[in-house]
Amino acid sequence: MPRMQHVESSSVDAVGFDPARNELTVRFVSGDTYVYGMVPRAVFEALLTADSIGRFVNERIKPRHPVRAS
């Protein structure tokens, strides 16, 4: 698992990115953790600066990238 960094969000606790695999790991405040595949680094960087990280995950990550539970 990549190094996780805490984010300011009411729904997302922390995120991490593995550039070698283009995988984004998202840990939600519920404790559930998911790994999203085929995520470009630019999308991860946009996530970190999004006005709403939860909305970004719901609109730009979940519908566009394959996921597995971690």
Side-chain angles (χ1 to χ4, degrees):
M1 178 181 292
R3 185 179 72 78
M4 301 295 284
Q5 59 188 83
H6 177 73
V7 292
E8 292 296 321
S9 170
S10 61
S11 60
V12 177
D13 177 55
V15 297
F17 185 70
D18 180 346
R21 302 178 75 134
N22 284 341
E23 290 184 336
L24 169 67
T25 302
V26 179
R27 183 173 61 231
F28 293 90
V29 296
S30 66
D32 294 336
T33 302
Y34 295 94
V35 179
Y36 296 89
M38 301 178 354
V39 177
R41 177 182 287 279
V43 172
F44 172 66
E45 292 170 357
L47 168 68
L48 295 178
T49 61
D51 289 337
S52 170
I53 289 176
R55 184 179 326 123
F56 190 97
V57 169
N58 284 330
E59 294 177 359
R60 302 260 321 265
I61 303 297
K62 287 181 178 182
R64 300 178 185 184
H65 299 281
V67 64
R68 71 178 192 274
S70 175

